[in-house]
Amino acid sequence: MIVRKPSPGEQVKTGSRYLRGTLAEELINDGPGFSKDAVVLLKFHGAYAGDNRDSRKAGDGKVHISMLRVCVPGGRVTADQYLALDRLADTAGDGTLRITSRQGIQYHHVGKRALRDLIRAVNAAELSTLAACGDVVRNVVCCAAPLPGEERAEFWRYAKLLDRELKPKTGAYAEIWLDGEKAATLEDAEPLYGAAYLPRKFKIGFAFEGENTTDVYTNDLGFVPHFESGRLEGFTVLAGGGLGTSPGVKESHPRLADPVAFVPPEDLLATARAVVGVHRDLGNRANRKLARLKYVIGELGVEWFRNELAERLGKPLAPPRELVWKRQSDYLGWHPQAGGGWFFGLRVVSGRIGGAVRAAVRQAAEELRAEIRFTPQQNLIFAGLDDRARPVLEGILREHGVALPGELPSVLRHSMACPALPTCALAITESERVLPGIAAGIQGELDALGLGAETIHLRQTGCPNGCARPYTAEIGIVGQSVGMYVVYLGGSPVSTRLAQVFREKVPQERLAEVLRPVFHEYARERRAGEAFGDYCFRAGVDALRARHGEA
Ligand code: SRM
Ligand code: SF4
């Protein structure tokens, strides 16, 4: 057996006294930033210390900024929690809140001196930033739409349960950011993680059968509930998903989770702990680029994983149920809600709540006291509204000039983009800031062919890490070098299939143009009701590339 030397990050974790390191001292010293080791540990507490890439480019040197990520399990907050989050965007950061692709909230451009107050205020709103980042179980995602169906109404509690039970138990978080009293009541042992935590991040998602609104196959661990006459029978377990692809590491690749078993409701937590345990014990601690659970399952096989899981659970596993998927789009606009009343899905382009959108959402939360839900497609839902609230909400949105979802062009409506520049340290090129222009160009091509109203999922990232999940989109645009992108096609309209490379090194201004011949073919050759991604898959992305690729 080859024993590989643990990567430097492993030593930082084990030597950190359960995530303390020198964080407390560094927070109050005179330096503008944090040491290398502290940057690693800060992530577990929810913060990424970096610098403003625009300032660097402009020759202004390193302007230190941090990003703070808040966990919101299942994406649900009360009106009061939302208003607290909203207020914080003025006291720290750049005046915006950013809904993440995992239903969290991010503050960008946070100064080192503002971090502690911000984290305290987030906790005062009964939310946490602990484990929002780092080598631990991340924010647990769950479909946010409160659709009718008794069984779905309170399903969110399972996301909350896993979030609570799988959070690190270290007292370091309370000690460093909150008050000492709380810290004294917390134990330092990490029964699940141990002193070295996980080899890498670990993601868990729930999706309701038929509706892949959470992109469940892209998680390390997915649960799909099955109901019989309104009673929860159990979950199909999916394992081994992940999209991250490291530039220059050829073994790294996106992978969709495999269905591995069916477990009864009482085994949900034990199953989650067991799968996290497999990752903890067998994930690659020598090479972080190949450390996700997907590589363990890819190497040892699904059958091996099933046996390993059964052994860890101490019982044989039932086979997974067959899953059929019909939808992945968010529920935008008005929809009847579980238990009566209505919910409204607001399209928030790239999840960025700023300016007029922020003012409108704040006013709606204040006046209507609506529960707010963040979706994994970076949108926002106002839940629990009655008939009288409908014209009030629409009035508020109109007053602030915020477009209703039906008024937006289809491509922009069904798009996602990661933040990329100037806040992301790993960005190769732009994403969020250029998405509206790229979506408009693609919309123009579709309009010209009478296809403008089609639902086509477009997702863009500023590097191959895949934060806005471009590899499961019908059109994926992935940053390759400055101003240049790889175009992926053939992902399924319900995100159950990986897209493939159609074109590389496409300049930003030519993205719409290179898709033109494929749209023409689609308009001509598609079958009745055939989605764009399905057409590309049927036609063959290799064949499309051969016909319409670069000479
Ligand atoms: Fe991500 C790293 C933003 C969802 C795969 N991601 C980053 C960092 C923290 C950059 C860094 O490490 O320095 C980005 C911060 C940028 C900024 O300025 O805010 C970042 N990731 C995001 C968010 C905010 C994108 C968004 O558009 O909303 C999402 C935060 C979700 C959350 O609330 O937790 C986000 N990241 C994802 C997803 C999608 C998902 O989980 O559904 C993925 C692909 C799925 C997966 O995990 O494989 C993803 N992010 C990565 C990776 C590649 C991981 C890998 O296995 O190789 C990195 C790089 C890394 O970890 O080293 C990364
Ligand atoms: Fe940054 Fe790349 Fe993630 Fe975009 S995909 S946020 S550029 S790490």
Side-chain angles (χ1 to χ4, degrees):
M1 186 180 138
I2 308 166
V3 180
R4 288 172 290 196
K5 193 171 163 240
S7 66
E10 288 300 309
Q11 287 150 21
V12 176
K13 286 184 277 181
T14 34
S16 72
R17 294 171 296 120
Y18 294 103
L19 308 180
R20 284 178 181 79
T22 52
L23 281 180
E25 296 87 324
E26 292 196 35
L27 259 182
I28 50 170
N29 71 15
D30 292 338
F34 293 90
S35 67
K36 226 166 136 199
D37 289 1
V39 168
V40 172
L41 296 177
L42 256 185
K43 295 180 187 177
F44 291 78
H45 297 257
Y48 274 75
D51 72 308
N52 185 331
R53 309 260 316 258
D54 281 350
S55 308
R56 215 197 296 171
K57 196 172 164 203
D60 297 341
K62 238 183 175 183
V63 175
H64 291 268
I65 49 167
S66 293
M67 172 271 275
L68 186 74
R69 188 180 289 165
V70 182
C71 282
V72 187
R76 284 174 74 165
V77 291
T78 63
D80 283 336
Q81 283 177 314
Y82 180 80
L83 291 169
L85 290 174
D86 175 84
R87 277 192 296 276
L88 294 177
D90 288 328
T91 60
D94 63 351
T96 70
L97 299 105
R98 170 74 163 54
I99 305 172
T100 74
S101 56
R102 295 192 69 77
Q103 300 178 289
I105 284 290
Q106 282 188 184
Y107 296 96
H108 285 114
H109 299 271
V110 181
K112 178 176 164 179
R113 306 270 169 263
L115 264 180
R116 183 181 268 144
D117 282 350
L118 184 54
I119 292 179
R120 286 175 87 104
V122 165
N123 279 268
E126 291 177 26
L127 292 164
S128 178
T129 65
L130 176 62
C133 322
D135 299 340
V136 280
V137 173
R138 302 287 189 89
N139 198 39
V140 178
V141 298
C142 181
C143 181
L147 289 164
E150 217 176 290
E151 68 280 7
R152 290 177 64 140
E154 282 314 311
F155 190 80
W156 172 63
R157 70 175 185 274
Y158 291 104
K160 290 275 282 181
L161 170 84
L162 292 193
D163 174 77
R164 191 183 62 234
E165 293 296 323
L166 305 177
K167 271 250 190 285
K169 305 290 178 232
T170 175
Y173 184 76
E175 198 177 292
I176 296 168
W177 310 103
L178 312 176
D179 56 77
E181 248 172 72
K182 248 188 194 160
T185 65
L186 292 168
E187 293 295 324
D188 256 355
E190 290 283 13
L192 176 62
Y193 294 117
Y197 292 84
L198 300 179
R200 209 60 167 93
K201 60 182 87 172
F202 191 93
K203 298 182 172 178
I204 303 181
F206 289 91
F208 292 112
E209 209 187 337
E211 299 187 26
N212 196 12
T213 56
T214 57
D215 229 341
V216 70
Y217 290 89
T218 64
N219 286 270
D220 295 272
L221 174 61
F223 290 107
V224 182
H226 299 278
F227 301 95
E228 187 60 51
S229 312
R231 196 182 62 84
L232 178 65
E233 285 199 302
F235 300 89
T236 287
V237 180
L238 309 167
L243 300 182
T245 307
S246 303
V249 181
K250 65 174 188 332
E251 302 94 322
S252 69
H253 57 82
R255 184 180 193 279
L256 295 184
D258 290 293
V260 291
F262 173 87
V263 296
E266 60 275 18
D267 284 352
L268 175 75
L269 183 55
T271 304
R273 285 203 176 110
V275 179
V276 172
V278 177
H279 174 51
R280 177 196 60 214
D281 300 341
L282 295 165
N284 186 336
R285 288 192 187 257
N287 185 350
R288 288 185 61 76
K289 312 261 186 225
L290 302 172
R292 297 288 292 272
L293 178 68
K294 66 181 174 180
Y295 297 113
V296 176
I297 298 183
E299 193 183 323
L300 299 174
V302 178
E303 211 35 56
W304 168 85
F305 179 77
R306 192 174 288 128
N307 292 333
E308 180 70 23
L309 183 57
E311 197 166 305
R312 286 178 185 243
L313 285 171
K315 54 167 100 164
L317 290 170
R321 303 249 170 117
E322 201 184 325
L323 300 173
V324 178
W325 300 99
K326 297 184 183 137
R327 176 187 181 108
Q328 76 155 303
S329 305
D330 266 347
Y331 285 87
L332 298 177
W334 289 106
H335 299 275
Q337 175 159 336
W342 301 93
F343 72 92
F344 181 84
L346 178 70
R347 170 79 185 117
V348 182
V349 177
S350 301
R352 184 70 64 177
I353 309 179
V357 175
R358 186 177 155 212
V361 176
R362 179 174 53 235
Q363 191 181 335
E366 275 164 354
E367 286 184 23
L368 300 170
R369 309 294 308 154
E371 184 195 328
I372 307 279
R373 301 185 180 197
F374 309 120
T375 83
Q377 295 177 50
Q378 304 169 328
N379 294 314
L380 183 149
I381 288 171
F382 296 95
L385 302 174
D386 59 20
D387 288 342
R388 281 166 311 176
R390 288 185 60 152
V392 179
L393 179 59
E394 289 193 15
I396 293 171
L397 294 172
R398 290 210 185 288
E399 187 190 319
H400 290 278
V402 175
L404 304 189
E407 296 163 356
L408 285 170
S410 187
V411 178
L412 191 63
R413 183 176 164 162
H414 298 102
S415 65
M416 287 174 70
C418 73
L421 294 169
T423 53
C424 177
L426 306 179
I428 295 173
T429 190
E430 297 281 351
S431 182
E432 183 184 321
R433 295 197 288 201
V434 297
L435 174 81
I438 291 169
I442 294 175
Q443 185 72 49
E445 297 294 338
L446 292 166
D447 287 347
L449 293 168
L451 297 171
E454 294 291 317
T455 298
I456 300 179
H457 295 98
L458 164 75
R459 297 182 188 166
Q460 175 171 5
T461 54
C463 86
N465 279 313
C467 296
R469 299 187 293 270
Y471 307 117
T472 49
E474 294 177 275
I475 303 175
I477 296 179
V478 175
Q480 190 171 25
S481 58
V482 180
M484 301 274 223
Y485 298 85
V486 184
V487 178
Y488 287 79
L489 294 179
S492 98
V494 286
S495 274
T496 50
R497 181 174 65 226
L498 288 175
Q500 296 159 52
V501 175
F502 166 61
R503 287 282 290 269
E504 292 197 63
K505 295 191 181 133
V506 182
Q508 184 190 315
E509 58 283 3
R510 292 200 57 217
L511 284 165
E513 181 192 323
V514 298
L515 289 166
R516 187 180 302 149
V518 187
F519 291 148
H520 271 275
E521 236 194 78
Y522 172 56
R524 233 177 20 245
E525 313 280 342
R526 69 180 168 152
R527 295 177 179 153
E530 190 172 33
F532 179 66
D534 284 343
Y535 172 74
C536 292
F537 181 71
R538 179 168 65 82
V541 178
D542 284 348
L544 290 175
R545 189 170 53 238
R547 279 200 288 283
H548 309 299
E550 199 81 298

